[in-house]
Amino acid sequence: MEIRLSEEQVAVQQAAKDFARHELLPGVIERDEAQQFAVGPVQALGQLGFMGMMTDPSFGGSGMDTLSYVLAIEEISKIDASVAVCMSVNNSLVCWGLEKYGSEEQKKKYLTPLASGEKIGAFCLSEPEAGSDATSQHTIAEDKGDYYLLNGTKNWITNGNSASIYLVIAQTDKDKKHKGINVFIVEREMPGFTVGKKENKMGIRSSDTHALMFQDVRVPKANRIGPDGFGFTFAMQTLNGGRIGIAAQALGIAAGAYDLALQYARERKAFGVPIIEHQAIQFKLAEMATKIEAARLLVYKAATIKDADQDYTQSAAMAKLYASTIAMEVTTEAVQIHGGYGYVKEFHVERFMRDAKITQIYEGTSEIQKLVLARELFQKA
């Protein structure tokens, strides 16, 4: 399979690469240590049109294709995966879901400021007792006529404290199980909404991950997305596309770690020669490069299928499963090639290793991807 990039796609890729090296690389270690959200760089990404890349320009977006989006995420992730996940959530989970399923009024009011980068969005599905089992929602939205009364807690929410607009999945009728779930647009200023504790994470430490609490939050009926009972379908369809973004993030993390390992192997000497001349290191680099290229093809293929408006469920799951797996493998080897220097922060690869792990967990664990793939393969058989 050969994927040829257009001039526009190459330009997007180069713009993301330049931004990452000039705007994100300075201070990336310090932001990681301090768990500091990259406010300035994220605002700059919005001004470049990278926070609503696939959104129609009539709603403030850039109107680009999925492959362009993947190219940008990959380049950003080579330097700072924390910024990449903020960008990914806003693009894949929030803007895409609103544009695909929101009403015209909802798009004008909420999508436009999100896609233009004026505001940041968050996708609120996970709960303390509902992770992979997304049907077990304990957050309740009680129908009160012209509004819903929202109560519950959400966990592990990316952009939790930086967002202004939240897409919240909640149960409205337990008897209907997954068909009794809805999705609501919640504004930060709504009374009863509270941002909880910030998570002290192993990786992507400068991304903004918080718990969120909802206590008698009055959500207008106009803020429900889609027909009654559409929430679970909304979440699954949105996450389906989100997997491509996380696969691109994992790919970027792996590629960034490989680049550093290759550079170090050329410069570091052992037994009188650069370590790249030792077969043990050559074999490691050869395997790393092969895995990255295989992952890249899977990720680009998934994006291309989505752009062709075809069913991309299988391709997205394969891309995320494999890219996240090799991200862990490649970053581990990058640390090993660096030896003792790989274990200290100033050489970056230890951060890549820590950041890689989450790509096997969020937006569907590797185990969930295997379940999705098994279901798809059995149906097609």
Side-chain angles (χ1 to χ4, degrees):
M1 178 183 177
E2 182 180 7
I3 298 177
R4 294 185 178 181
L5 302 182
S6 67
E7 290 184 7
E8 292 79 6
Q9 289 166 337
V10 171
V12 169
Q13 184 182 47
Q14 188 62 49
K17 182 177 182 178
D18 291 343
F19 180 86
R21 296 196 174 277
H22 297 139
E23 302 296 329
L24 295 179
L25 184 56
V28 64
I29 293 175
E30 291 76 14
R31 289 195 301 272
D32 174 78
E33 288 186 323
Q35 303 185 65
Q36 180 183 356
F37 184 72
V39 177
V42 170
Q43 290 175 342
L45 277 175
Q47 294 168 359
L48 287 173
F50 279 14
M51 295 300 281
M53 293 185 69
M54 298 173 288
T55 304
D56 191 280
S58 62
F59 295 109
S62 300
M64 299 182 193
D65 57 13
T66 310
L67 184 53
S68 296
Y69 162 66
V70 159
L71 293 168
I73 288 285
E74 179 184 354
E75 293 300 327
I76 297 296
S77 300
K78 287 180 181 179
I79 302 297
D80 191 341
S82 293
V83 169
V85 73
C86 171
M87 176 180 160
S88 175
V89 166
N90 205 72
N91 274 279
S92 294
L93 301 187
V94 181
C95 288
W96 186 87
L98 270 172
E99 184 172 24
K100 180 74 173 178
Y101 300 112
S103 66
E104 288 301 308
E105 292 75 16
Q106 290 169 345
K107 293 177 187 179
K108 290 177 183 177
K109 184 176 181 180
Y110 297 111
L111 179 57
T112 300
L114 287 166
S116 65
E118 179 186 341
K119 294 183 178 180
I120 297 175
F123 182 81
C124 309
L125 175 63
S126 295
E127 298 183 357
E129 297 180 16
S132 293
D133 183 8
T135 60
S136 299
Q137 295 292 304
H138 291 274
T139 298
I140 302 297
E142 187 178 355
D143 192 339
K144 293 293 186 179
D146 59 347
Y147 67 92
Y148 287 90
L149 201 62
L150 188 64
N151 284 279
T153 301
K154 294 294 181 179
N155 243 18
W156 320 114
I157 306 304
T158 301
N159 302 340
N161 192 45
S162 300
S164 301
I165 299 167
Y166 302 81
L167 303 187
V168 182
I169 313 298
Q171 189 83 49
T172 53
D173 190 336
K174 286 188 175 181
D175 292 336
K176 294 181 180 179
K177 298 181 179 179
H178 73 281
K179 294 183 178 180
I181 294 174
N182 278 289
V183 55
F184 304 94
I185 304 170
V186 175
E187 300 176 34
R188 186 184 182 92
E189 297 78 14
M190 288 180 174
F193 170 73
T194 306
V195 176
K197 71 164 185 170
K198 183 176 184 177
E199 302 295 348
N200 187 9
K201 307 185 300 292
M202 176 175 75
I204 57 167
R205 285 172 57 81
S206 66
S207 73
D208 189 15
T209 309
H210 284 257
L212 306 176
M213 278 78 75
F214 307 88
Q215 184 173 2
D216 290 338
V217 179
R218 292 169 64 109
V219 182
K221 270 281 177 70
N223 282 32
R224 188 187 74 198
I225 299 176
D228 188 26
F230 182 68
F232 183 75
T233 299
F234 175 92
M236 295 302 101
Q237 291 299 320
T238 304
L239 286 170
N240 201 21
R243 289 171 186 147
I244 299 176
I246 299 304
Q249 182 194 28
L251 170 62
I253 291 170
Y258 169 80
D259 289 344
L260 291 174
L262 180 61
Q263 177 183 343
Y264 182 83
R266 286 171 172 164
E267 298 171 353
R268 173 70 169 175
K269 290 186 177 181
F271 305 103
V273 297
I275 63 172
I276 199 170
E277 294 187 22
H278 296 294
Q279 192 177 70
I281 302 301
Q282 292 174 354
F283 281 9
K284 286 182 184 295
L285 291 168
E287 290 179 0
M288 292 160 72
T290 302
K291 290 173 182 178
I292 290 168
E293 189 63 19
R296 182 173 286 118
L297 288 172
L298 281 172
V299 176
Y300 288 12
K301 179 184 177 182
T304 302
I305 291 174
K306 184 174 184 289
D307 285 333
D309 201 25
Q310 298 173 4
D311 182 8
Y312 55 91
T313 303
Q314 178 177 313
S315 295
M318 282 183 174
K320 184 182 184 298
L321 174 63
Y322 186 73
S324 62
T325 299
I326 69 103
M328 278 304 303
E329 293 174 357
V330 168
T331 55
T332 300
E333 289 287 49
V335 171
Q336 191 71 16
I337 288 171
H338 278 76
Y341 290 106
Y343 208 67
V344 297
K345 294 183 181 298
E346 65 182 288
F347 282 77
H348 295 282
V349 287
E350 64 84 29
R351 173 169 49 82
F352 281 117
M353 184 177 175
R354 289 186 286 108
D355 288 350
K357 184 58 192 174
I358 191 61
T359 65
Q360 294 182 305
I361 298 173
Y362 59 12
E363 294 192 34
T365 64
S366 294
E367 291 73 23
I368 289 295
Q369 302 313 312
K370 292 175 184 178
L371 288 174
V372 170
L373 284 170
R375 182 187 64 205
E376 289 293 308
L377 294 170
F378 293 162
Q379 287 177 350
K380 291 176 180 177

